Amino acid sequence: MVAASQIEAPTHRDTLPPDWSPPAMLLGDFMDNAVRDHGDRPAVDFMGRTWTYRALWRLVERAARGFQDMGLGRGDRVALCLPNTPYYIVLYFAALKIGAVVVNLNPLYTQSEMRHLLTDSGARVVAVPDLREIHGKVRAIAEECQLATILVCPMAGILPRVKAWGWRLFKRRDHARYAHDALHMRFCDLIARGDPPRPVALVPDDLAVLQYTGGTTGTPKGAMLTHRNLTANALQQQAHIHGDLPAPQRTLAVLPFFHVFALTAVLDFSILVGSELVLMPRFEMDAMLATIKRKPPTLFFGVPTLFIAMNALDDAKIPNLSGLRACISGAHRCRWKCGRRLNSAPAQGSAKAMA
């Protein structure tokens, strides 16, 4: 993250002791603390349907027990080939809760790219949406990659009622067709039992995520990220922005969680501060602008190309951004002009910063 000297930044960031270091924590601690402190507040908004932190936590608990009943445990690899949906968040924290290791898969990868990541990581379970294009790629390499289970997550199950009805009726050609066999499990069956998971003793230095590099300089390699690595990143971001952000906060989650910047700066950080995550399964400018108008964010994390695209819009299309408290750009250096629109918006308090 590159700070721009022209921006009024919170003094808290500059007054941190030079020997400050984040406490060692588990990623599950973020969720447990959020439920304790913000249990009845919205945690997730997906296309207009919402879940509270308490409701999200219950799904995590049930999914974790479902994983255990499948025979998964410490060190087992669980691949998530999912766009930004409530399924990703639930399965991410459920896998971590039982000591499993999350392997992120970009749903847009080719079969060849997926084959390498699955065989290299040793993942035996892969979660996919019930989208024909994505499920089809994973199904085609299932035997070769020795997958034990393809966990199918139905999109209609997380949409508001009217949108779910429209999905079932008008998007049939996009639906995955799969056999109800030993290879496939539906998300509803994973959480059907409803019992809490068996406790698993974890420490911050346990492996949490295998995050594969982009492969631009060779074969993608799995970076081994521990709970300590990922929680430290989120805690450092919290300190950089303003320490404890006053509730309620709301995060626009347009960057995909399967990329490590969004995983840490958007998902992990938002759970840490108890922010409501407004999820977008993919980036489309008009859809993003409509989402901002429907649910104005207080936290907005993006990449330079996104902010440059916003700068190019007509003034009439720019939604009200006066509620922003913090905005962070990742993936590449962000020049001052990238954040012109965001930094021209009136700030709430003293926490507004573009970095």
Side-chain angles (χ1 to χ4, degrees):
M1 295 179 288
V2 181
S5 59
Q6 300 98 321
I7 303 167
E8 180 186 357
T11 57
H12 175 84
R13 182 185 64 183
D14 299 325
T15 57
L16 283 175
D19 60 347
W20 179 88
S21 61
M25 298 180 68
L26 299 172
L27 286 160
D29 294 337
F30 287 3
M31 178 64 73
D32 292 342
N33 293 344
V35 174
R36 180 196 65 202
D37 299 335
H38 313 289
D40 295 326
R41 289 196 180 121
V44 173
D45 176 296
F46 183 72
M47 312 293 283
R49 182 174 173 183
T50 61
W51 290 258
T52 66
Y53 267 99
R54 199 175 314 282
L56 190 67
W57 175 81
R58 287 171 181 155
L59 288 172
V60 170
E61 291 274 295
R62 294 169 68 179
R65 180 53 184 262
F67 280 148
Q68 289 180 328
D69 291 344
M70 292 170 60
L72 296 176
R74 179 188 291 275
D76 289 325
R77 273 54 169 166
V78 175
L80 303 182
C81 187
L82 295 165
N84 286 8
T85 60
Y87 292 123
Y88 185 101
I89 302 174
V90 169
L91 296 175
Y92 173 71
F93 282 99
L96 296 174
K97 193 174 189 68
I98 66 168
V101 179
V102 171
V103 181
N104 278 316
L105 287 183
N106 185 338
L108 299 180
Y109 277 164
T110 64
Q111 286 186 26
S112 176
E113 290 170 319
M114 288 187 180
R115 182 185 299 111
H116 168 68
L117 268 62
L118 290 173
T119 54
D120 186 73
S121 66
R124 301 298 303 280
V125 175
V126 183
V128 300
D130 65 340
L131 294 172
R132 178 174 55 84
E133 182 179 357
I134 300 173
H135 169 270
K137 289 185 288 189
V138 174
R139 178 63 186 90
I141 58 176
E143 283 80 14
E144 183 180 356
C145 296
Q146 299 182 345
L147 296 180
T149 305
I150 298 176
L151 180 63
V152 182
C153 303
M155 296 300 294
I158 53 175
L159 290 169
R161 182 174 299 178
V162 174
K163 290 180 179 178
W165 177 83
W167 165 259
R168 292 187 180 100
L169 187 63
F170 299 114
K171 296 289 186 178
R172 290 181 180 177
R173 75 177 84 185
D174 296 329
H175 296 184
R177 302 287 186 263
Y178 58 93
H180 295 282
D181 55 13
L183 179 62
H184 291 88
M185 173 182 282
R186 298 176 301 174
F187 179 81
C188 61
D189 295 324
L190 178 74
I191 64 171
R193 182 165 176 174
D195 295 335
R198 295 182 293 275
V200 178
L202 301 172
V203 296
D205 288 325
D206 283 338
L207 185 61
V209 173
L210 282 178
Q211 185 72 39
Y212 278 82
T213 59
T216 53
T217 59
T219 303
K221 299 173 180 63
M224 302 171 68
L225 303 177
T226 66
H227 286 261
R228 186 192 297 267
N229 294 149
L230 295 168
T231 57
N233 201 177
L235 290 161
Q236 288 165 338
Q237 180 169 311
Q238 182 186 33
H240 172 80
I241 289 177
H242 198 258
D244 293 329
L245 290 165
Q249 298 295 326
R250 181 181 292 141
T251 305
L252 179 64
V254 64
L255 300 181
F257 295 152
F258 51 76
H259 285 312
V260 72
F261 173 59
L263 182 69
T264 56
V266 181
L267 176 54
D268 292 343
F269 172 75
S270 294
I271 300 297
L272 168 66
V273 301
S275 181
E276 177 185 5
L277 281 151
V278 182
L279 305 182
M280 295 193 64
R282 63 179 180 274
F283 171 72
E284 292 177 351
M285 180 60 77
D286 289 342
M288 186 188 76
L289 296 176
T291 299
I292 292 174
K293 291 178 181 178
R294 181 176 65 85
K295 281 284 185 82
T298 62
L299 304 170
F300 187 6
F301 309 121
V303 292
T305 51
L306 187 154
F307 297 128
I308 290 171
M310 290 187 69
N311 284 340
L313 295 173
D314 294 335
D315 289 342
K317 296 194 70 174
I318 299 295
N320 183 3
L321 298 171
S322 62
L324 280 180
R325 296 191 63 87
C327 181
I328 291 180
S329 178
H332 196 270
R333 180 176 62 173
C334 187
R335 297 181 182 274
W336 166 254
K337 63 182 180 180
C338 292
R340 176 174 59 86
R341 299 278 189 161
L342 300 174
N343 286 295
S344 64
Q348 281 188 358
S350 61
K352 181 171 176 278
M354 177 76 180

